[in-house]
């Protein structure tokens, strides 16, 4: 029997019509007064639907809505929220002004929208919220997963199983994306011998439209409908289909809706294929030659890498990817072998079997970055083979340290406190000195009371969850056991939180390496400690699942379930409760495998104190006053030895510093020393690690320069881009052809007994082939060296022509000044002139042989 399906919802009274408007923009989720509008309607229902606004409004009884329409206090609050919403949200989107397109395979915006898995997605969501607050001309592109990431269910033995509930489209705050004429947009991409179709939906994140592609369409056969079912689900071919849809289909969707971005930002390698779509668009729709289009695209792309773990960088078997890329290469009038080589390091091209999406992204982006200072260093070392003729210090991968969206993560209790005592713009990257002074002057009593209320809220939530997920806590499900377990945790004792993806390198069970010391802490009568764990392991990661099981079984075996808990189905809502309610945020990765670690930032802005390995963000945030550092030992080469050592260091910190500091009450009922550290933690979080600061950094360092570059490249029918292509051809013939030559520089006089302030002259002979002196920079290259006589901190001094011997032969020279003391190395090089080619892979450079 064929049915016609339809929905019937309560009729929203005219006085409350703004609630429908608000339900179509996720802006409400980071505005406390807007959230309160929904909570006031029915607090229990709001909690039950996890903030799914459209579902919530459909379930509210008509009588309750009519009652609220007559409630003058509620109407007054609604009008205040409406006025703020209308002040900051434009009524119409001007597509011509959206100059930056941000592509990500996942977006963590709110727990009710399950299109994310973890930190990468939550970072992307915070990026969009900050861009909205700053009113940046940004548009985002992702996939609309009908099942999303899995729901975690732990069986009686503590083993993770995965379930995939379907998200009903009518319960999501999305509307169909339309072209400039108002017609709904459906795009298609060619997958070898058939087409994949996708509808385009728009989810508004404040001022930022997020385009989401959806393959659940009758035009697609069943296997292609599954492309947007699950995040990180299926095999390699499914993953390839998803990434082709995101990059190529996503850019097609932008064009179909009338957007013409000057800059495309790839959040990880998943979106790398968008470069092919950009090139194809410029070739077929604008009329550029392929090389001109390529020059324009790579010089206006941004690429952010998030993982220092080799296994976390996406690769595809060349035999798998080649048939797909043949189609898109042909569309762009490019040779498919050339396209595949963009994803292979030069030294591997003769024998490579895989194409790396990270290499592809770096190759096709003029602006690249890691996500913390340390991660930038690791990324430069990790990918230096892409630029084999450069020192590590010159590898063109910078860093923009991640930040968190303050309004999304600060508790309502602390929000009110900050509003009363701090500078008016405290949440939007204000002057740090003014901010710090305000934070340090917060009344200790009020700060501690607000935090204790957050801890109590966390305990209530944990107890509720444990009652719902009782099955794995005990061997029998008797009423007596159930009653006993509903009182787990103590709202008044030191609470340590550990919540993140359960991957083996994050070492979620580091505490279990010293079980006797752990049990002593858990059962201490005078200074007790409790631990709350949460997190999901990837469905294919049995190692991560075993870590979860070990924690649960340890708590069962030692009968400490009331003091050591694992909370099931970690999501954004649970993360908010944890980073607001625990006292200590624990992070124990193997350095340097944590790229950033934004959960610690979320804890810091709530006055929670970090205890962490000096990895990711904590390596640049820790100052000795704002938390604790778990000291590592770089002499250990085996993971087992290192884990044992760092476990001992963690327990030493807990026993000797953290626990005594928390329970010290020299100031009466207040832990004065602890509160001082809380304030320093808040100064660090609000002062340096907001997503406002992060997005302002992207705008200043990447978006605005790339937008300007795109305008210059495309002006006058791409005259500048054409000029660059012609120059590049000359560089390739001469640099790659091995025609250039430079001698080791000669020094006038002796380099012995040099002192700071001394100067010496150097000169060298070069052969430039068909290149002219103005096309190259000949440089004296020098810097401090390590024990292997490798330059580790380089300086270059431009040389000038001293003699022209004819036929491309010259003598160059310059003066070098000794500015600092140390041991130095000196050589010379020829490079392409200026900075226009500094970020190209592999670039153009010639050294003495």
């Amino acid at each position: 029997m064929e049915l016609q399906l339809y929905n019937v919802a309560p009729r929203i009274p005219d006085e409350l019509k703004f609630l429908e408007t608000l339900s179509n923009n996720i802006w409400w989720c980071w505005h406390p007064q807007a959230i309160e509008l929904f909570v006031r309607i029915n607090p229990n229902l709001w909690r039950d639907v996890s903030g799914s606004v459209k579902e919530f409004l459909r379930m509210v009884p008509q009588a309750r809505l009519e009652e609220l329409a007559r409630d003058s206090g509620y109407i007054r609050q609604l009008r205040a929220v409406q006025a703020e919403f209308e002040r900051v949200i434009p009524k119409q989107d001007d597509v011509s002004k959206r100059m930056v397109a941000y592509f990500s395979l996942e977006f963590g915006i709110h727990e009710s929208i399950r299109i994310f898995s973890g930190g990468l997605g939550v970072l992307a969501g915070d990026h969009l919220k900050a861009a909205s607050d700053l009113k940046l001309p940004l548009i985002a592109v992702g996939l609309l997963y009908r099942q999303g990431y899995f729901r975690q269910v732990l069986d009686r033995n503590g083993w993770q199983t995965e379930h995939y509930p379907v998200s009903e489209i009518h319960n999501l705050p999305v509307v169909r994306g339309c072209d400039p004429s108002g017609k709904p947009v459906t795009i298609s991409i060619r997958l070898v011998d058939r087409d994949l179709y996708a509808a385009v939906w728009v989810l508004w994140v404040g001022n930022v439209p997020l385009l989401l592609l959806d393959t659940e369409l009758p035009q697609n056969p069943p296997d292609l409908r599954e492309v947007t079912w699950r995040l990180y689900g299926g095999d390699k071919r499914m993953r390839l289909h998803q990434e082709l849809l995101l990059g190529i289909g996503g850019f097609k969707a932008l064009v179909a809706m009338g957007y013409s971005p000057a800059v495309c930002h790839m959040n990880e390698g998943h979106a790398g294929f968008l470069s092919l779509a950009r090139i194809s668009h410029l070739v077929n729709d604008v009329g550029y030659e392929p090389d001109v289009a390529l020059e324009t695209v790579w010089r206006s792309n941004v690429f952010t890498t998030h993982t220092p773990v080799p296994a976390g960088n996406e690769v595809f078997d060349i035999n798998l990817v080649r048939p797909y890329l043949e189609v898109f290469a042909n569309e762009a009038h490019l040779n498919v072998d050339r396209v595949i080589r963009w994803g292979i390091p030069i030294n591997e091209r003769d024998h490579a079997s895989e194409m790396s999406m990270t290499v592809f992204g770096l190759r096709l982006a003029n602006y690249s970055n890691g996500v913390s200072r340390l991660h930038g260093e690791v990324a430069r070392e990790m990918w230096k083979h892409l630029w084999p003729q450069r020192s590590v210090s010159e590898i063109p991968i910078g860093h923009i340290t991640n930040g968190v969206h303050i309004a999304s993560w600060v508790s309502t209790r602390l929000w009110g406190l900050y509003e009363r005592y701090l500078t008016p713009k405290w949440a939007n990257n204000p002057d740090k000195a003014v901010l710090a002074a305000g934070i340090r002057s917060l009344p200790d009593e009020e700060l501690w009371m607000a935090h204790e209320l957050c801890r109590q809220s966390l305990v209530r939530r944990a107890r509720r969850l444990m009652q719902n997920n009782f099955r794995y806590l005990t061997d029998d499900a008797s009423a007596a056991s159930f009653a006993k377990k509903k009182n787990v945790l103590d709202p008044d004792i030191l609470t340590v939180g550990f919540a993140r993806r359960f991957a083996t390198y994050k070492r979620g069970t580091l505490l279990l390496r010293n079980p006797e010391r752990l049990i002593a802490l858990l059962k201490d009568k005078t200074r007790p400690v409790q631990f709350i764990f949460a997190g999901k392991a990837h469905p294919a990661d049995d190692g991560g699942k075993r870590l979860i099981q070990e924690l649960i079984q340890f708590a069962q075996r030692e009968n400490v379930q009331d003091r050591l808990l694992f909370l099931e189905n970690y999501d954004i809502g649970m993360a908010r409760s944890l980073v607001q309610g625990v006292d200590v945020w624990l992070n124990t990765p193997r350095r340097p495998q944590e790229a950033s670690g934004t959960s610690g930032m979320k804890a810091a802005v709530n006055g929670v104190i970090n205890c962490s390995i000096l990895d990711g963000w904590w390596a640049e945030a820790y100052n000795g006053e704002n938390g604790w550092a778990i000291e590592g030992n770089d002499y250990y080469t085996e993971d087992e030895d290192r884990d044992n050592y760092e476990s001992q260091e963690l327990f030493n910190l807990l026993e000797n510093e953290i626990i005594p500091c928390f329970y010290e009450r020299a100031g009466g009922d207040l832990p004065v020393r602890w509160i001082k550290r809380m304030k320093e933690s808040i100064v660090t979080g609000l002062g340096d690690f907001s997503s406002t600061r992060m997005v302002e950094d992207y705008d200043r360092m990447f978006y605005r320069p790339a937008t300007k570059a795109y305008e210059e490249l495309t002006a006058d029918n791409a005259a500048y881009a054409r000029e660059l292509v012609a120059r590049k051809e000359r560089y390739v013939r001469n640099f790659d052809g091995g025609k250039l030559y430079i001698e080791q520089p000669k020094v006038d006089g002796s380099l012995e007994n040099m002192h700071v302030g001394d100067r010496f002259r150097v000169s060298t002979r070069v052969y430039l082939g068909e290149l002219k002196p103005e096309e190259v920079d000949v440089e004296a290259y020098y810097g401090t060296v390590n024990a292997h006589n490798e330059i580790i901190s380089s300086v270059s001094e431009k040389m000038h022509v001293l003699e022209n011997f004819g036929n491309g032969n010259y003598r160059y020279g310059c003066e070098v000044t000794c500015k600092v003391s140390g041991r130095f190395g000196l050589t010379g090089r020829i490079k392409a002139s200026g900075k226009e080619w500094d970020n190209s892979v592999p670039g153009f450079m010639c050294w003495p042989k």
Side-chain angles (χ1 to χ4, degrees):
M1 183 191 321
E2 184 175 345
L3 300 176
Q4 295 188 54
L5 302 177
Y6 58 97
N7 298 306
V8 178
R11 184 178 300 279
I12 305 292
D14 289 342
E15 295 85 350
L16 307 181
K17 281 294 184 181
F18 173 66
L19 291 176
E20 291 186 329
T21 301
L22 196 57
S23 72
N24 285 315
N25 192 321
I26 203 68
W27 176 90
W28 62 264
C29 81
W30 72 90
H31 290 82
Q33 289 296 315
I35 297 171
E36 183 62 23
L37 280 180
F38 298 114
V39 175
R40 280 184 64 176
I41 296 173
N42 188 323
N44 291 331
L45 177 60
W46 179 253
R47 185 184 67 202
D48 290 344
V49 300
S50 299
S52 177
V53 177
K54 289 202 165 184
E55 182 180 6
F56 175 76
L57 290 177
R58 288 190 178 98
M59 296 175 68
V60 175
Q62 186 72 45
R64 176 59 176 154
L65 294 174
E66 300 291 347
E67 179 185 359
L68 288 168
R70 299 187 297 272
D71 184 333
S72 60
Y74 185 83
I75 296 299
R76 186 166 57 251
Q77 182 179 351
L78 183 144
R79 294 289 175 256
V81 173
Q82 182 176 1
E84 177 63 14
F85 180 86
E86 293 176 350
R87 184 182 72 83
V88 298
I89 304 298
K91 287 184 168 56
Q92 288 186 325
D93 182 28
D94 187 346
V95 297
S96 66
K97 293 184 178 179
R98 298 282 180 185
M99 302 305 292
V100 180
Y102 181 92
F103 286 69
S104 181
L105 199 61
E106 54 175 297
F107 288 90
I109 301 164
H110 187 262
E111 59 267 29
S112 63
I113 305 169
R114 296 186 301 106
I115 56 173
F116 69 97
S117 71
L120 176 73
V122 175
L123 184 280
D126 281 8
H127 194 108
L128 301 194
K129 293 172 184 176
S132 172
D133 294 340
L134 292 166
K135 294 184 171 59
L136 287 190
L138 186 137
I139 184 169
V141 182
L143 303 183
L144 182 61
Y145 303 101
R146 292 301 187 102
Q147 296 180 4
Y149 205 49
F150 65 90
R151 176 179 176 83
Q152 182 190 51
V153 177
L154 301 171
D155 66 19
R156 194 176 288 270
N157 297 313
W159 188 257
Q160 173 185 291
T161 58
E162 296 83 35
H163 294 261
Y164 293 87
V166 175
S167 296
E168 299 184 28
I169 197 78
H170 63 274
N171 285 332
L172 296 175
V174 295
V175 294
R176 282 288 269 125
C178 296
D179 65 17
S181 70
K183 179 182 177 182
V185 171
T186 298
I187 60 94
S188 67
I189 63 171
R190 189 73 174 167
L191 299 181
V192 186
D193 58 353
R194 54 183 180 163
D195 290 329
L196 171 65
Y197 294 89
V200 181
W201 299 86
V202 180
L203 190 158
W204 280 92
V205 185
N207 287 297
V208 175
L210 168 56
L211 275 56
L212 297 170
L213 277 61
D214 173 23
T215 59
E216 185 62 45
L217 293 175
Q219 298 98 306
N220 289 323
D223 64 315
L224 292 187
R225 293 184 190 183
E226 295 180 13
V227 170
T228 57
W229 277 11
R230 295 180 180 179
L231 174 60
Y232 303 137
D235 57 13
K236 271 290 188 180
R237 188 176 299 274
M238 176 64 74
R239 184 65 164 264
L240 177 60
H241 288 172
Q242 289 181 331
E243 296 190 14
L244 289 168
L245 178 63
L246 172 66
I248 294 174
F251 191 81
K252 283 190 171 185
L254 289 173
V255 173
M257 291 181 64
Y259 295 101
S260 183
V263 179
C264 286
H265 184 171
M266 297 169 274
N267 190 40
E268 263 300 354
H270 314 129
F273 292 124
L274 74 84
S275 294
L276 285 177
R278 291 192 76 189
I279 293 170
S280 182
H281 167 65
L282 292 176
V283 169
N284 296 305
D285 300 336
V286 184
Y288 292 178
E289 293 84 3
D291 283 342
V292 173
L294 169 62
E295 207 63 37
T296 303
V297 166
W298 86 263
R299 290 180 180 275
S300 56
N301 273 348
V302 178
F303 178 77
T304 299
T305 176
H306 288 264
T307 175
V309 182
N313 290 274
E314 187 82 76
V315 295
F316 290 111
D317 186 278
I318 290 174
N319 292 328
L320 169 64
V321 78
R322 178 184 292 275
Y324 293 90
L325 293 188
E326 282 181 347
V327 174
F328 301 116
N330 286 337
E331 287 183 1
H333 300 262
L334 293 166
N335 178 277
V336 67
D337 290 321
R338 182 186 183 190
V339 171
I340 290 173
R341 285 197 300 271
W342 291 341
I344 303 171
I346 289 178
N347 61 342
E348 299 176 15
R349 285 181 176 173
D350 293 336
H351 55 273
S353 61
E354 294 178 327
M355 172 184 174
S356 165
M357 294 305 295
T358 303
V359 173
F360 196 82
L362 290 168
R363 169 66 178 79
L364 292 169
N366 192 34
Y367 307 88
S368 300
N369 70 288
V371 291
S372 70
R373 184 194 303 149
L374 177 59
H375 181 227
E377 295 172 7
V378 172
R380 287 189 288 276
E381 181 67 34
M382 189 172 181
W383 300 108
K384 64 183 180 181
H385 58 288
L386 300 183
W387 294 271
Q389 293 184 318
R390 306 191 195 184
S391 67
V392 174
S393 64
E394 288 191 311
I395 300 302
I397 303 175
H399 82 274
I400 293 177
T401 301
N402 282 343
V404 297
H405 189 247
I406 305 300
S408 296
W409 296 103
V410 168
S411 73
T412 54
R413 295 176 180 91
L414 283 175
W415 185 277
L417 191 65
Y418 296 164
E419 284 284 287
R420 288 198 301 276
Y421 290 102
L422 303 185
T423 176
K425 296 186 179 296
W426 62 268
N428 293 306
N429 197 29
D431 179 87
K432 188 176 178 182
V434 175
L435 177 70
I439 292 168
R440 289 170 183 143
S441 66
L442 290 172
D444 286 1
E445 297 85 353
E446 293 189 50
L447 177 59
W448 186 244
M449 182 181 296
H451 176 66
E452 286 200 304
L453 289 171
C454 290
R455 192 193 312 119
Q456 291 167 15
S457 294
L458 169 62
V459 168
R460 286 195 299 272
R461 178 178 183 133
R463 287 174 174 175
R464 187 169 63 248
L465 290 171
M466 298 306 286
Q467 291 176 62
N468 294 338
N469 305 326
F470 175 67
R471 62 195 166 278
Y472 69 86
L473 284 175
T474 182
D475 289 333
D476 69 275
S478 66
S481 296
F482 180 80
K484 179 181 177 182
K485 297 306 176 186
K486 74 178 182 180
N487 292 317
V488 296
L489 300 181
D490 185 325
D492 298 315
I493 70 174
L494 176 60
T495 305
V496 180
F498 179 102
R500 52 192 31 87
R501 181 167 60 90
F502 261 73
T504 52
Y505 78 87
K506 292 178 183 285
R507 300 187 298 185
T509 57
L510 196 63
L511 286 163
L512 300 188
R513 288 182 167 270
N514 286 273
E516 297 83 6
R517 294 174 79 175
L518 177 57
I519 293 169
L521 296 181
L522 295 170
K523 294 188 174 183
D524 191 296
K525 299 298 185 183
T526 58
R527 299 190 305 182
V529 185
Q530 57 195 6
F531 293 85
I532 303 177
F533 291 84
K536 297 176 178 178
H538 188 279
D541 184 6
D542 284 351
K545 292 180 181 181
R546 277 192 291 273
L547 297 182
I548 296 172
Q549 186 179 49
E550 287 173 21
L551 285 166
I552 293 170
Q553 292 185 347
F554 172 85
Q556 291 175 347
R557 184 175 63 251
E558 303 298 338
N559 195 26
V560 290
Q561 303 100 312
D562 59 333
R563 293 282 172 84
L564 194 155
L565 299 186
F566 191 97
L567 299 181
E568 187 178 79
N569 201 41
Y570 183 51
D571 66 5
I572 290 176
M574 185 184 293
R576 264 198 313 274
S577 292
L578 285 165
V579 299
Q580 294 170 4
V582 300
D583 301 296
V584 174
W585 194 254
L586 183 62
N587 190 24
T588 55
R590 290 194 186 101
R591 177 184 163 106
Q593 297 183 45
E594 184 83 276
S596 177
T598 52
S599 63
M601 304 174 192
K602 296 160 192 166
V605 300
N606 283 286
V608 173
I609 305 175
N610 279 269
C611 175
S612 175
I613 297 290
L614 286 169
D615 200 6
W617 82 290
W618 195 234
E620 61 192 90
Y622 174 67
N623 62 18
E625 304 294 330
N626 57 357
W628 290 276
I630 305 169
E631 296 292 341
N633 190 326
D634 294 336
Y635 290 108
Y636 288 117
T637 57
E638 297 296 327
D639 287 345
E640 184 72 13
D641 296 331
R642 185 177 182 184
D643 294 352
N644 285 330
Y645 177 85
E646 292 176 359
S647 175
Q648 297 286 351
E649 289 295 300
L650 171 55
F651 275 100
N652 292 340
L653 277 177
L654 286 166
E655 294 165 353
N656 301 326
E657 296 189 40
I658 297 174
I659 295 172
C661 184
F662 182 85
Y663 284 105
E664 179 187 287
R665 296 296 194 266
D669 293 332
L670 297 177
V672 176
R673 284 202 302 130
W674 188 273
I675 293 171
K676 183 178 180 182
R677 281 189 184 264
M678 286 178 65
K679 291 180 178 179
E680 292 306 313
S681 182
I682 297 169
V683 169
T684 299
L686 295 183
D688 295 314
F689 296 98
S690 73
S691 60
T692 300
R693 186 273 310 154
M694 175 188 73
V695 173
E696 285 178 339
D697 284 350
Y698 276 107
D699 188 42
R700 173 176 51 84
M701 296 168 62
F702 293 167
Y703 295 162
R704 279 184 279 169
T707 299
K708 181 180 179 182
Y710 184 83
E711 292 170 350
E712 292 173 348
L713 288 159
T714 55
D716 299 324
N717 193 28
Y720 179 46
R722 296 174 197 280
E723 176 193 332
L724 288 171
V725 170
R727 286 166 56 187
K728 187 174 187 177
E729 290 173 353
R730 286 173 58 80
Y731 286 142
V732 168
R733 283 198 307 271
N734 287 272
F735 279 93
D736 294 358
K739 295 180 180 178
L740 306 189
Y741 173 80
I742 179 172
E743 287 183 349
Q744 184 65 33
K746 292 182 172 63
V747 177
D748 294 347
S750 172
L751 289 178
E752 293 184 6
N753 300 317
M754 301 298 293
H755 298 86
V756 173
D758 288 349
R759 300 179 180 182
F760 59 90
R761 295 197 61 81
V762 296
S763 62
T764 183
R765 290 179 64 107
V766 302
Y767 173 66
L768 300 183
E770 64 186 77
L771 298 177
K772 298 180 175 63
E774 59 267 26
E775 294 179 278
V776 299
D777 289 336
V778 179
E779 298 176 336
Y781 180 85
Y782 60 98
T784 54
V785 296
N786 58 20
H788 304 289
N789 290 332
E790 299 166 334
I791 293 178
I792 56 175
S793 180
S794 63
V795 180
S796 59
E797 192 75 42
K798 190 172 180 179
M799 291 181 164
H800 303 283
V801 176
L802 300 178
E803 292 183 76
N804 182 348
F805 300 112
N807 298 320
N809 293 283
Y810 301 87
R811 187 168 72 91
Y812 277 75
C814 71
E815 186 176 75
V816 173
T817 302
C818 301
K819 295 181 179 179
V820 295
S821 59
R823 181 171 175 78
F824 287 79
L826 168 71
T827 186
R829 68 181 180 185
I830 308 170
K831 62 183 286 290
S833 65
K835 296 184 177 299
E836 290 169 315
W837 306 96
D838 284 359
N839 295 353
S840 63
V841 180
F844 302 106
M845 204 166 291
C846 175
W847 299 84
K849 294 181 180 178

